[in-house]
């Protein structure tokens, strides 16, 4: 198991408060050293701020681009690999439209956008605004790569260390840990004779690592007068067979991810995460990104794994739809319909879900992807079976759903 990210959370101040940034950078550097000495490879350190509409006094494109560039430079100067400026807010509709310009002006800055909250419900204008960002972002870099740095959020609270969902809820500085732990699931089920046996092994592995991560995190946070925000033990994969959640599914007995039984496998894995005792932050589910997982990429390329499959698994386990490659000509209306389903699941089941969709210009469903990125496994563009919504569902409105 590796640590994908140590993520620091801070109110940046505006103009930027250099002292605050220096303090969290020192704490994260200390944490990186301590975890490395404990035997954990730390892949990245990251900085997440409070949502940019909350601290940026002027929501114009020029002011937003300037802020994004300044914060990106400040983060990189302090050895953070990436920075998240948090979500556009339902309460600030103008904040959605300026995200493409901020993406275009940066390379290491991540953004997100609220679709729904328990308090506000689902705002259909936000669904279309977020889908519009995805459509515009697809044209900014080769292969639509800029959408890696943007996600739509439904019922997602502050404090998750996984990007692009990460943002600070305010108050004092904190940091949290995002493990890359799909290999724990692969190992736990490699020789398991029953689901309960494999799940018990996985829960034990998570607890063992969780205790070590938390003990070190608590010590370092106290030393730097920060809060240790916890661990998001979402089982994150890497594009190798041994670190693939798809491999873990198939070690459980599936002929291929996407076949019947996959939903049960997803539920069992998440149940094991739920059973483990550790201080929690963020999602603590399964990350099922076709472009970041060796076996999921393979099954999507074979046509065995669909967008609807991934959406269905989100109901029992997942963090949503992540790095899903879509046709380049997919419409805003079609993506908004998909985002409505994601939002409805999130509110009805009272769980956080995200959508990171990646339309690829010039590609159609079934075409091969051609990314040159160490954290991606190439696959085929996935079909989206969606049309524009009409009637009651297509009206501009706020939809209130009761949680079960």
């Amino acid at each position: 198991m590796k640590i994908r990210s140590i993520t620091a959370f801070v109110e940046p101040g505006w103009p930027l408060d250099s002292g605050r940034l220096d303090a969290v950078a020192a704490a994260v550097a200390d944490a990186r050293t301590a975890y490395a000495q404990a035997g954990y490879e730390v892949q990245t350190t990251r900085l997440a701020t409070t949502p940019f509409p909350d601290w940026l006094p002027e929501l114009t494109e020029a002011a937003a681009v300037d802020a994004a560039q300044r914060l990106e430079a400040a983060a990189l100067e302090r050895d953070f690999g990436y920075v998240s400026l948090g979500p556009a807010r339902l309460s600030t509709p103008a904040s959605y439209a300026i995200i493409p310009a901020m993406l275009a002006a940066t390379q290491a800055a991540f953004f997100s956008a609220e679709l729904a909250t328990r308090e506000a419900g689902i705002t259909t204008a936000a669904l279309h605004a977020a889908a519009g960002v995805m459509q515009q972002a697809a044209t900014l870099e080769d292969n639509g790569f800029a959408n890696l740095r943007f996600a739509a959020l439904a019922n997602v609270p502050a404090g998750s260390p996984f990007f692009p969902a990460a943002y600070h809820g305010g108050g004092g500085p904190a940091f949290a840990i995002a493990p890359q732990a799909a290999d724990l699931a692969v190992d736990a089920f490699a020789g398991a004779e029953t689901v309960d046996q494999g799940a018990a092994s996985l829960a034990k592995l998570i607890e063992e690592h969780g205790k070590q991560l938390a003990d070190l995190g608590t010590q370092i946070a106290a030393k730097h007068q920060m809060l240790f925000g916890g661990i998001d033990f979402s089982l994150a994969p890497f594009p190798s067979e041994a670190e693939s959640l798809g491999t873990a599914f198939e070690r459980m007995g599936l002929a291929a991810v996407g076949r019947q039984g996959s939903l049960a496998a997803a539920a069992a894995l998440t149940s094991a995460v739920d059973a483990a005792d550790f201080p929690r932050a963020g999602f603590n589910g399964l990350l099922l990104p076709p472009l970041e997982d060796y076996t999921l990429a393979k099954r999507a390329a074979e046509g065995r794994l669909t967008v609807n499959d991934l959406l269905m698994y989100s109901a029992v386990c997942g963090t949503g739809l992540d790095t899903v490659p879509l046709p380049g000509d997919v419409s805003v209306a079609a993506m908004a319909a998909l985002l409505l389903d994601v939002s409805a699941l999130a509110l009805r089941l009272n769980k956080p879900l995200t959508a990171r969709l990646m339309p690829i210009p010039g590609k159609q469903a079934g075409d091969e992807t051609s990314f040159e990125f160490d954290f991606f496994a190439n696959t085929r563009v996935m079909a989206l079976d969606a049309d524009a919504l009409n009637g009651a569902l297509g009206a501009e409105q706020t939809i209130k759903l009761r949680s079960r």
Side-chain angles (χ1 to χ4, degrees):
M1 192 199 82
K2 301 170 185 171
I3 294 174
R4 178 169 290 187
S5 175
I6 303 170
T7 301
F9 299 88
V10 69
E11 291 192 67
W14 193 254
L16 293 177
D17 188 325
S18 295
R20 291 183 197 173
L21 299 183
D22 289 341
V24 296
V28 167
D30 199 359
R32 182 170 200 155
T33 298
Y35 285 121
Q37 290 175 345
Y40 292 101
E41 177 185 332
V42 179
Q43 294 180 330
T44 64
T45 58
R46 306 177 184 183
L47 179 68
T49 73
T50 42
F52 69 90
D54 294 356
W55 51 263
L56 189 61
E58 186 182 2
L59 278 176
T60 64
E61 185 173 298
V65 165
D66 177 65
Q69 290 176 326
R70 288 176 183 269
L71 193 48
E72 178 185 57
L76 295 176
E77 286 170 5
R78 290 164 175 82
D79 292 328
F80 291 104
Y82 307 99
V83 59
S84 169
L85 279 72
R89 293 288 215 183
L90 294 176
S91 57
T92 316
S95 57
Y96 294 75
I98 57 180
I99 289 177
M102 290 193 284
L103 284 168
T106 57
Q107 293 184 321
F110 285 65
F111 305 90
S112 55
E114 291 179 337
L115 303 176
T117 66
R118 275 182 291 176
E119 297 75 21
I122 303 168
T123 302
T124 57
L127 306 178
H128 287 269
V133 173
M134 294 169 182
Q135 187 183 68
Q136 292 181 64
T139 67
L140 299 178
E141 298 182 32
D142 290 344
N143 287 324
F145 193 68
N147 269 310
L148 181 71
R149 297 188 284 125
F150 176 75
L153 311 184
N155 196 32
V156 176
S160 170
F162 280 107
F163 275 33
Y167 69 96
H168 188 32
F175 71 88
I177 305 299
Q180 184 173 290
D183 56 324
L184 299 186
V186 174
D187 293 344
F189 280 92
E193 295 181 359
T194 66
V195 171
D196 282 354
Q197 186 183 86
S201 296
L202 178 56
K204 182 179 179 182
L205 287 169
I206 290 172
E207 285 191 355
E208 289 171 352
H209 287 286
K211 184 178 188 311
Q212 190 168 14
L213 294 174
D215 287 349
L216 281 172
T218 301
Q219 293 169 23
I220 293 159
K223 175 182 174 182
H224 291 271
Q225 298 182 316
M226 293 176 66
L227 173 69
F228 176 62
I231 308 163
D232 188 342
F233 244 113
S234 294
L235 299 179
F238 184 79
S240 71
E241 188 172 9
E243 296 178 86
S244 160
L245 265 180
T247 299
F249 276 46
E250 293 179 5
R251 291 278 174 90
M252 296 174 75
L254 288 170
V257 180
R259 306 293 290 174
Q260 297 306 134
S262 297
L263 180 71
L269 289 171
T270 314
S271 180
V273 177
D274 290 345
D277 182 18
F278 61 92
R280 294 168 185 265
F283 298 92
N284 294 294
L286 307 184
L287 290 176
L288 297 172
L291 282 170
E292 294 183 349
D293 184 294
Y294 172 88
T295 301
L296 295 185
K298 190 174 180 180
R299 300 307 175 220
E302 295 168 351
R304 296 172 183 265
L305 184 68
T306 70
V307 174
N308 278 342
D309 291 332
L310 294 170
L311 183 65
M312 180 172 62
Y313 306 155
S314 296
V316 297
C317 75
T319 60
L321 303 175
D322 196 19
T323 66
V324 177
L326 296 178
D329 62 357
V330 64
S331 69
V332 166
M335 287 191 287
L338 178 59
L339 296 178
L340 177 59
D341 281 345
V342 172
S343 300
L345 274 180
L347 293 192
R348 191 77 174 112
L349 301 179
N350 192 22
K351 64 181 298 182
L353 291 175
T354 69
R356 186 161 46 162
L357 310 179
M358 301 188 69
I360 304 178
K363 300 281 189 180
Q364 297 297 320
D367 289 347
E368 293 183 357
T369 63
S370 55
F371 292 100
E372 296 180 2
F373 182 53
D374 288 345
F375 288 86
F376 271 9
N378 279 303
T379 182
R380 292 183 184 272
V381 174
M382 302 175 75
L384 178 58
D385 189 14
D387 300 300
L389 297 172
N390 298 298
L393 284 174
E396 184 169 323
Q397 61 192 303
T398 296
I399 301 173
K400 298 280 191 174
L401 296 176
R402 292 179 179 272
S403 298
R404 288 189 66 85

